[in-house]
Amino acid sequence: YSFALSRADARKQAIINEANAIGTAFLRADLAPEPSRTELRVALRDYAQSRVAHQATTGTRANLQKTLARSLEIQSELWPLTSRMVKGGYSGPISALIVQSINEVIDMHTVRYAVSQDRLPGAVFGMMLFIAAASLFITGFSASTQGRFKRWRLVFLSLVLAAVITVITDFDRGRSGLVRLSQQSIIDLIQDMNAELSKK
C-alpha cells in the first residue's frame, strides 16, 4: 500500500510542479518585447492545454501516444520562440529568467512522464496476491482444525483483503478507476492564462 501510495503522491506532485513551472514561464514571458511576448504566452497556454490528461485522451495506449505527440509538438515550438527572442537582441537578466523558465517547463515534461510510467512491479503485485491467498488459507485451516470455523468471518476477511488490493491497484492506475489524479491545478492555470490573454 505504501509502495503504491508513494508513487501516486509523486505523480500528483509532478502535475502541481509542472503547473507552477508553466505559470512562472507565462508570467516572465510578459516581460519580453513584442512580438515574442504574445507568441510565447500563447504557446505556453496551448502547451498547458495539451498537458491535461483525461481518461478519454489517455485511456488506451494509442490515445496516450497521440496525446503525448501533440504535447511534444507544441513543446517543440517553445525553444525556437525563445531563441528568436534572444537572437533578436533582447538579452540580459530578464531574458535569462525567461530562458530558465522555458527550460524548466521542458524539463518537467520528462519528470512527469517518468513518474507516470513508474508502476507497481509485477513481482510486488504477485507477492501481494500470494500473501492474501495464504492468509485466507491459514485462517480457514486454523479455524477448521480448532472446530471454530465461521463462514462469515472468512467472507469478511476476504472482502477486506479484496478492498485493500483494489485500492492499491487503483492508486497505481492514476488516470482511471475510483481514485484519480486531480488535474485541477493545470485547469485553473489555463483559465488564468486565458483571462490574461483576453486582456491584451
Side-chain angles (χ1 to χ4, degrees):
Y1 180 86
S2 176
F3 207 63
L5 185 59
S6 64
R7 279 155 177 73
D9 287 339
R11 288 192 285 271
K12 178 181 177 181
Q13 193 59 49
I15 293 173
I16 295 172
N17 290 343
E18 183 173 50
N20 289 337
I22 296 173
T24 298
F26 185 81
L27 290 174
R28 290 181 179 178
D30 192 41
L31 301 174
E34 291 291 3
S36 295
R37 177 192 305 152
T38 299
E39 290 174 346
L40 272 173
R41 283 158 69 89
V42 170
L44 285 165
R45 188 273 315 274
D46 293 343
Y47 181 66
Q49 290 175 335
S50 75
R51 302 302 290 162
V52 179
H54 292 299
Q55 172 64 15
T57 58
T58 59
T60 65
R61 187 72 180 174
N63 285 345
L64 177 60
Q65 292 300 326
K66 185 177 179 181
T67 301
L68 282 173
R70 173 61 181 157
S71 182
L72 288 172
E73 180 185 348
I74 300 173
Q75 185 196 88
S76 66
E77 299 172 5
L78 293 174
W79 191 251
L81 289 172
T82 307
S83 178
R84 194 180 312 149
M85 175 195 71
V86 175
K87 290 177 181 178
Y90 185 69
S91 59
I94 294 178
S95 176
L97 286 175
I98 296 173
V99 172
Q100 179 189 12
S101 295
I102 298 299
N103 269 332
E104 289 175 0
V105 169
I106 294 171
D107 291 344
M108 279 310 304
H109 164 80
T110 305
V111 173
R112 186 174 168 192
Y113 182 77
V115 297
S116 71
Q117 299 304 305
D118 188 14
R119 300 296 186 189
L120 196 66
V124 174
F125 187 74
M127 183 180 68
M128 180 173 60
L129 293 177
F130 173 77
I131 291 173
S135 299
L136 290 173
F137 174 78
I138 293 171
T139 301
F141 181 78
S142 176
S144 63
T145 55
Q146 295 176 17
R148 297 182 299 178
F149 182 79
K150 300 287 185 180
R151 189 180 300 274
W152 69 267
R153 291 179 180 172
L154 198 58
V155 170
F156 181 74
L157 177 60
S158 300
L159 291 174
V160 169
L161 290 173
V164 171
I165 292 173
T166 300
V167 170
I168 290 172
T169 54
D170 221 40
F171 273 134
D172 198 48
R173 285 183 289 181
R175 289 187 299 270
S176 61
L178 299 175
V179 183
R180 299 187 183 185
L181 288 175
S182 174
Q183 308 282 316
Q184 198 58 46
S185 57
I186 293 185
I187 292 172
D188 290 342
L189 173 65
I190 293 169
Q191 291 175 347
D192 292 341
M193 294 166 94
N194 284 328
E196 283 293 319
L197 289 172
S198 65
K199 295 176 183 178
K200 303 298 181 181

